Amino acid sequence: MSHTVAQPRFLALDALRGALALFVVLFHLPVASHLRDLPLVMHGYLVVDYFFVLSGFVIAHSYGQRINDAVQGRDFLIKRVARVWPLHAVMLGAFVALEVVRALTHFDAVPPFTGDRAPGGILTNLLMVQALGTEDSQTWNGPAWAVSAEMLCYVVFAGLILWARRWSLILAGLMATIGLAILILYAPPEPWAAWMNTTWRTGWARALYGFFLGVVVYRIWTVRPPTGRGWQETGLILIALAFIWVAVGPWTVLASLVFAPLVWVLAGDRGRVARALTWAPLVKLGDISYGVYLIHMFIITLMVIAARKLDLMHDRRIDLGSVWLNDLLMLVFLAVVIGLAALSYRFIEMPARDAVSAWLKRRSRPS
């Protein structure tokens, strides 16, 4: 359809991704601020499922009609690796370097290269397979499990388009259903990692569920685009926020289903709310959201090490003695993460993407 061809990107969806990425950051941040115990923060891990649904939607839009043979499928996967692997590798290198410094200086009591920082996890992380059943815990840069799970989605997507294009919509729905079923039947039993809060063990099923639901949503969007009514956009945003606020236990498996209509209604940037989300700073935050997601845990690790040295860790949280000072620390932390993410976007992510794209173009030229 004409509107799907004319729209190169979805500004409102990208901007919302940037804003929601901060929920994940605050979920991991162990600072005793005013926000720490809010349900929106305590359940912030559910935002990752918005990322999966959005990714499936955007990939279906960008590549659903551009993968027509094995060479194009290969190029698609190379481009996806070029987009997600460089910063992932840099952050893995940063964590490994920290362990080397720990081993050389013994600056704290934590044994180096043990537990979730065991040397064996370096290879699985480099290959981006650490969330596919190769490990028995989150390893190294914990949030990077989602990168591993999403790479699986890219491979399955390319396979469906290449070998079952006529049935791709049905198979996408089947993949989403299988992912949901696995979450329900085999999600880990631990209270802290049950149902949708699963990562290294069945996070790959969580990714398949959200990603291929996003593919289905894209097909619905091409047939029946949203009308651009602001009340629909506002209502679905409020429903999503309310769900994050209250969802616990088995109800969390509905996360992707809650985010799916939100992706549908905001795609196209037509309504008042969608157009408001295209405010330039929010769109920029969406651009750098991948960096925000991958960088923040390393900064948290450094903060926790410093807090332990200064005896500022109380009940597993950093506490400066005043909740207002803790709020200030939280804001400084967010500013640092956003600044580093902007630098990584400018000097790591985009140069790698552009270099690989240029290399693929040179290879495709006839000799």
Side-chain angles (χ1 to χ4, degrees):
M1 296 183 66
S2 59
H3 72 278
T4 66
V5 174
Q7 186 164 336
R9 60 176 297 194
F10 302 90
L11 297 178
L13 293 176
D14 278 349
L16 186 58
R17 174 175 58 189
L20 292 179
L22 299 181
F23 282 54
V24 180
V25 173
L26 292 175
F27 169 70
H28 288 136
L29 181 63
V31 172
S33 68
H34 279 103
L35 301 183
R36 176 62 257 179
D37 293 324
L38 288 180
L40 279 176
V41 172
M42 296 178 66
H43 304 159
Y45 66 90
L46 291 171
V47 169
V48 175
D49 299 288
Y50 172 83
F51 301 159
F52 287 139
V53 176
L54 175 58
S55 181
F57 183 95
V58 172
I59 292 297
H61 171 79
S62 300
Y63 291 98
Q65 301 300 321
R66 292 168 57 189
I67 301 176
N68 298 299
D69 55 40
V71 172
Q72 291 177 334
R74 178 205 64 191
D75 290 352
F76 160 71
L77 293 176
I78 290 174
K79 287 180 179 179
R80 298 322 299 162
V81 170
R83 180 65 185 92
V84 301
W85 188 83
L87 181 58
H88 166 61
V90 168
M91 295 315 301
L92 175 61
F95 274 96
V96 172
L98 180 61
E99 290 304 293
V100 171
V101 173
R102 179 178 270 135
L104 293 176
T105 64
H106 304 286
F107 60 79
D108 65 9
V110 177
F113 293 104
T114 58
D116 61 357
R117 303 172 313 283
I122 297 175
L123 179 60
T124 57
N125 275 264
L126 282 174
L127 297 176
M128 293 188 291
V129 297
Q130 73 271 25
L132 306 184
T134 62
E135 302 291 340
D136 58 4
S137 68
Q138 281 197 30
T139 55
W140 294 99
N141 189 10
W145 74 267
V147 180
S148 170
E150 182 138 332
M151 279 304 306
L152 172 65
C153 294
Y154 297 151
V155 173
V156 175
F157 175 83
L160 292 184
I161 296 298
L162 280 175
W163 296 303
R165 185 183 297 275
R166 289 183 59 187
W167 306 99
S168 59
L169 179 60
I170 295 174
L171 292 176
L174 179 61
M175 294 302 302
T177 302
I178 291 173
L180 175 58
I182 291 172
L183 287 176
I184 294 174
L185 296 174
Y186 299 107
E190 296 90 345
W192 52 268
W195 304 105
M196 215 57 164
N197 193 15
T198 181
T199 55
W200 54 270
R201 189 178 297 176
T202 47
W204 57 271
R206 179 181 174 185
L208 289 175
Y209 165 35
F211 183 95
F212 285 99
L213 184 60
V215 174
V216 173
V217 170
Y218 173 73
R219 293 294 296 273
I220 295 172
W221 181 76
T222 61
V223 175
R224 189 177 181 83
T227 58
R229 295 174 180 172
W231 65 267
Q232 290 180 337
E233 299 168 340
T234 302
L236 289 172
I237 289 175
L238 291 177
I239 288 172
L241 292 176
F243 175 81
I244 296 171
W245 187 285
V246 303
V248 293
W251 292 105
T252 58
V253 300
L254 299 177
S256 296
L257 291 170
V258 170
F259 290 129
L262 180 59
V263 170
W264 170 79
V265 78
L266 291 178
D269 306 331
R270 300 182 64 183
R272 291 181 179 177
V273 177
R275 290 196 297 271
L277 285 171
T278 61
W279 183 44
L282 278 179
V283 173
K284 182 61 178 176
L285 184 60
D287 288 339
I288 66 174
S289 60
Y290 182 62
V292 169
Y293 183 78
L294 278 191
I295 291 171
H296 75 273
M297 189 56 73
F298 183 74
I299 307 304
I300 288 175
T301 301
L302 296 180
M303 287 176 58
V304 169
I305 291 172
R308 286 173 178 165
K309 288 287 187 181
L310 299 172
D311 195 25
L312 296 175
M313 290 294 296
H314 304 285
D315 194 23
R316 303 184 66 178
R317 296 181 181 184
I318 300 173
D319 191 346
L320 302 181
S322 164
V323 68
W324 297 106
L325 286 177
N326 295 339
D327 289 343
L328 179 60
L329 177 62
M330 176 192 69
L331 293 176
V332 171
F333 167 80
L334 291 176
V336 169
V337 169
I338 290 171
L340 290 175
L343 291 175
S344 77
Y345 184 80
R346 173 67 179 84
F347 296 106
I348 299 174
E349 299 169 58
M350 289 303 97
R353 182 202 65 179
D354 295 342
V356 169
S357 294
W359 174 70
L360 289 174
K361 286 181 180 180
R362 289 195 300 270
R363 287 193 57 178
S364 66
R365 292 173 186 165
S367 58

